[in-house]
Amino acid sequence: IAEGEVMIHVQGQVVGQINGLTQIDLGDYRFGSPVRISARTYAGDEGIINIDREVEMSGPTHDKGVYILQGWLSAAYARLTPLSLTASLVFEQEYHGVEGDSASCAELYAILSALSELPLLQGIAVTGALNQHGEVMPVGGINEKIEGWFRLCSRLGLDGQQGVLIPARNRAHLVLAQEVLDAVARGEFRILDMERVEDGIELLTGHPAGVMDGVGEYPADSVLGRVQQALESFRRACEESGHREHEHGHGK
């Protein structure tokens, strides 16, 4: 990573791109390693295409997490379901397979960023699994994941803006190396937590998540409001495309 062969940004902001945290277990030794997750979104009806699943590089627990993510997205925009959305998700430069659902929050944030066109902080790495109600569930290997990301940021240069975003329910499991605690105390590294997925998207974008009103609308300037506008434009594009196809077929 430090030599640029594995592409990970620890500074700046990018749309549709986020750093997830994985754990590598060698039996007698475990360590955390970041992985870049990216998303592209466009009008269509295929839903969320998990590229790793399509090429049989993901396990059932990971696939379950993606289906839960899709369920949350549909519920958040129930008025627009079925969604006129095609989204592609991929773990970049991952060649050994993907398992576990601890990246499902990061995957959702990449999709929300791509839809809203709001960039995500690259210095904040994310781990956490979501349920269908949007609650963030605890994950395993939390200490190794945090320490792995900290070591990378230290190697590339701490700027005070880097850190991790973890499930609030994992706070009780933290037993971190002294160097991490010292950096947190000095304000060089941050440990942020989230109870719900909306908490995380606010921290990563700097914009309010948005709360649905009585008629199913989100505030226009919120993250979920911008996503809603994108989904509505996708629906119009699909309807216009279908109308043109119908007219063309009728003309024949």
Side-chain angles (χ1 to χ4, degrees), residues 93-115:
Q93 293 183 284
E94 172 56 61
Y95 308 111
H96 304 291
V98 179
E99 181 54 316
D101 61 354
S102 66
S104 54
C105 281
E107 291 171 312
L108 174 62
Y109 296 152
I111 290 174
L112 293 178
S113 170
L115 286 166

Side-chain angles (χ1 to χ4, degrees), residues 58-68 98-102 104 107:
S58 64
T61 310
H62 175 257
D63 295 344
K64 175 185 175 184
V66 175
Y67 284 124
I68 291 172
V98 179
E99 181 54 316
D101 61 354
S102 66
S104 54
E107 291 171 312

Side-chain angles (χ1 to χ4, degrees), residues 5 7 16 22 24 93 96 104 110 140 142-143 154 158 195 204:
E5 294 173 13
M7 296 185 292
T22 65
I24 297 172
Q93 293 183 284
H96 304 291
S104 54
I142 194 70
N143 294 298
S154 296
L158 291 169
E195 294 271 358
L204 291 165

Side-chain angles (χ1 to χ4, degrees), residues 182-226:
D182 292 343
V184 171
R186 291 192 299 267
E188 296 174 352
F189 191 77
R190 298 187 288 168
I191 298 177
L192 309 169
D193 63 37
M194 50 185 170
E195 294 271 358
R196 299 187 51 80
V197 292
E198 294 90 346
D199 303 336
I201 198 66
E202 290 185 354
L203 288 166
L204 291 165
T205 64
H207 287 72
V211 178
M212 186 190 294
D213 64 17
V215 293
E217 296 283 337
Y218 293 94
D221 60 345
S222 66
V223 179
L224 297 182
R226 289 169 185 248

Side-chain angles (χ1 to χ4, degrees), residues 34-155:
V35 61
R36 177 185 288 181
I37 300 167
S38 63
R40 301 295 298 272
T41 57
Y42 37 97
D45 58 6
E46 295 187 55
I48 296 172
I49 301 170
N50 173 8
I51 292 175
D52 294 284
R53 182 179 72 230
E54 295 298 313
V55 297
E56 298 182 353
M57 281 185 64
S58 64
T61 310
H62 175 257
D63 295 344
K64 175 185 175 184
V66 175
Y67 284 124
I68 291 172
L69 179 168
Q70 189 159 345
W72 180 88
L73 198 59
S74 295
Y77 297 99
R79 193 169 57 79
L80 292 171
T81 52
L83 300 178
S84 300
L85 167 71
T86 298
S88 60
L89 264 178
V90 68
F91 280 62
E92 296 186 7
Q93 293 183 284
E94 172 56 61
Y95 308 111
H96 304 291
V98 179
E99 181 54 316
D101 61 354
S102 66
S104 54
C105 281
E107 291 171 312
L108 174 62
Y109 296 152
I111 290 174
L112 293 178
S113 170
L115 286 166
S116 67
E117 298 185 352
L118 292 171
L120 301 172
L121 291 170
Q122 300 298 292
I124 304 295
V126 177
T127 187
L130 76 152
N131 64 21
Q132 291 197 100
H133 304 290
E135 297 166 320
V136 180
M137 300 180 292
V139 296
I142 194 70
N143 294 298
E144 291 83 359
K145 290 175 179 177
I146 294 172
E147 290 169 0
W149 180 246
F150 172 79
R151 282 195 299 271
L152 174 61
C153 292
S154 296
R155 177 80 178 269

Side-chain angles (χ1 to χ4, degrees), residues 10-47:
V10 300
Q11 292 176 319
Q13 296 174 291
V14 182
V15 172
Q17 176 179 301
I18 195 168
N19 292 316
L21 292 173
T22 65
Q23 177 188 258
I24 297 172
D25 192 339
L26 302 178
D28 56 348
Y29 187 69
R30 295 187 304 176
F31 58 95
S33 178
V35 61
R36 177 185 288 181
I37 300 167
S38 63
R40 301 295 298 272
T41 57
Y42 37 97
D45 58 6
E46 295 187 55

